[in-house]
Amino acid sequence: MPAPTAPTDLATQNLNVVGLTPLRSPAELEAELPVSPSALEAVARARQAIQDIMMGKDGRLLVVVGPCSIHDTEAALEYAGRLRGLAERVSDRMLVVMRAYFEKPRTTMGWKGLINDPHLNGTFDMQTGLRRARKLLIDIAELGLPTGTELLEPITPQFLDDLLAWAAVGARTTESQTHRQMASGLSMPVGFKNATNGNLQVALDAMQAARHPHHFLGINEEGRTCVVATRGNAFGHVILRGGAGRPNYDPGNVADAAAGLEAAGLNPLLMVDCSHANSGKQHARQSVVWESIIEQRRAAPVGVVAGGPGGCPIIGAMIESFLEEGNQKLTDPANLMYGVSVTDACVGWDATERMLIEGYERLG
């Protein structure tokens, strides 16, 4: 008898996939939207300054401030113009980096950010999203203002990382092997948030993993799938964002976190997120966290650089801020209020300016 044969119509692949849309390669997008030498120099200079802060060579406070997420590039660029002037006013005591978040992690469902859905209507035009994100980063870099973002999709860095001075791995992805491997190859310092339940160990483990070389699957500049080999990223740090409804920005938690870092053989310096569980998800309470950060810095002996003997472990702060305070529901894009967040609530520009100027004066 002849051997049985498998049915020719038996499908086993892509059963739940309804479409595969090719993207332009990173090289093609970079050719369309090139970066000027002056903008690249500004990015490189900011990266070096952040590294110096992390190594205790620069005593300024790193402040990452900006919208929870960017949905309107026009409003974001207006914000950047204002922030640039403020950054110059405080530049001898603070290094200000604009928070330019284009990807949003979700516990269940929701708008996933400008790259994923730039038209805010469920059309998921990611080619346009990547282009808008890159164009905005170029425009901000041309102002001389550094930017930082959370990197959620592991192929995103190939499209944007030449323009970023700082990056974050979020609370939902710090435990992810994929994101730790990605961080090991990034060209800028990376902050790792503690987990959403407040667990700090996952961030320490992430820092350890990202310091080492890795080999993993990714894409190159031409968009081809390849094996990515990294050297490891020595410039990782923890971001305390609270968790499980409890804050962790107070001196006791900060000291415990620094001790945990030191016990693990890691740099005992850290950033504090003024938002999320540290503010109880109340945007106005970010100022309370900010005031604590400033007071903890002030309590260090005069002349001591953060991280030095007797110095404060806090080298940075993160603030969610936009042109207008609060947030709004994402409904009809045509009816959205200008300069108001569509994700987490932010402090408005007046409060942002007041917080940074008052902090600057007290640090003096």
Side-chain angles (χ1 to χ4, degrees):
M1 293 181 62
T5 58
T8 58
D9 61 347
L10 183 61
T12 60
Q13 188 176 32
N14 292 337
L15 299 184
N16 289 321
V17 174
V18 296
L20 293 167
T21 304
L23 288 174
R24 281 174 293 178
S25 71
E28 289 170 327
L29 186 60
E30 290 168 10
E32 179 188 348
L33 296 171
V35 189
S36 71
S38 62
L40 288 175
E41 181 182 355
V43 172
R45 188 167 57 246
R47 288 178 182 176
Q48 185 60 58
I50 296 169
Q51 291 177 11
D52 288 346
I53 289 172
M54 293 177 63
M55 296 172 67
K57 295 180 179 179
D58 185 332
R60 291 181 294 172
L61 179 67
L62 172 62
V63 182
V64 179
V65 55
C68 171
S69 63
I70 289 174
H71 69 280
D72 177 349
T73 56
E74 180 183 351
L77 191 57
E78 179 181 339
Y79 180 94
R82 296 188 192 184
L83 188 62
R84 180 195 175 214
L86 181 57
E88 290 175 350
R89 290 173 64 184
V90 301
S91 61
D92 60 323
R93 298 172 196 164
M94 298 177 184
L95 174 61
V96 175
V97 174
M98 180 169 163
R99 178 186 164 109
Y101 277 37
F102 304 113
E103 302 175 282
K104 293 301 297 179
R106 290 300 182 184
T107 302
T108 54
M109 295 296 294
W111 182 68
K112 296 179 184 177
L114 185 81
I115 290 176
N116 184 272
D117 187 14
H119 307 299
L120 296 87
N121 60 3
T123 53
F124 307 109
D125 181 5
M126 296 185 200
Q127 187 69 74
T128 295
L130 285 166
R131 189 185 188 285
R132 287 187 184 177
R134 182 170 180 81
K135 178 64 166 60
L136 179 63
L137 290 178
I138 290 173
D139 290 342
I140 296 173
E142 294 289 355
L143 295 175
L145 182 67
T147 52
T149 196
E150 178 179 343
L151 293 168
L152 190 60
E153 297 288 352
I155 70 167
T156 302
Q158 290 288 18
F159 293 92
L160 304 179
D161 74 344
D162 56 327
L163 291 158
L164 298 169
W166 177 88
V169 176
R172 294 170 181 80
T173 48
T174 291
E175 200 167 5
S176 159
Q177 175 175 306
T178 298
H179 290 80
R180 294 174 179 186
Q181 291 172 164
M182 175 189 71
S184 76
L186 292 177
S187 303
M188 72 293 295
V190 181
F192 297 92
K193 286 194 173 183
N194 63 252
T196 55
N197 65 2
N199 185 301
L200 180 63
Q201 188 60 48
V202 295
L204 304 187
D205 293 344
M207 285 179 63
Q208 290 275 26
R211 292 174 68 188
H212 290 83
H214 289 276
H215 292 76
F216 54 92
L217 295 177
I219 64 168
N220 62 12
E221 286 287 295
E222 286 68 45
R224 290 181 60 87
T225 305
C226 59
V227 176
V228 180
T230 68
R231 70 172 76 252
N233 190 338
F235 293 98
H237 66 85
V238 161
I239 305 173
L240 298 182
R241 48 90 72 199
R246 297 186 300 273
N248 59 3
Y249 65 85
D250 58 279
N253 273 298
V254 167
D256 288 347
L261 285 161
E262 195 161 21
L266 299 167
N267 189 345
L269 301 179
L270 51 89
M271 175 182 283
V272 172
D273 182 356
C274 294
S275 188
H276 299 100
N278 275 338
S279 66
K281 297 186 178 181
Q282 300 177 45
H283 66 278
R285 286 191 57 82
Q286 290 187 84
S287 63
V288 176
V289 185
W290 172 254
E291 289 167 7
S292 176
I293 292 168
I294 299 300
E295 286 308 308
Q296 290 180 62
R297 293 269 298 195
R298 278 169 49 89
V302 175
V304 172
V305 175
C312 176
I314 300 174
I315 57 162
M318 182 180 291
I319 302 169
E320 290 189 330
S321 152
F322 205 10
L323 295 174
E324 305 293 340
E325 112 175 276
N327 63 349
Q328 60 186 321
K329 288 186 176 181
L330 179 53
T331 54
D332 181 355
N335 294 328
L336 292 176
M337 293 180 288
Y338 181 77
V340 180
S341 172
V342 298
T343 48
D344 289 353
C346 298
V347 296
W349 177 256
D350 290 345
T352 303
E353 188 174 42
R354 182 174 61 253
M355 288 166 63
L356 265 65
I357 293 298
E358 290 179 356
Y360 171 82
E361 292 171 349
R362 286 159 63 191
L363 287 175

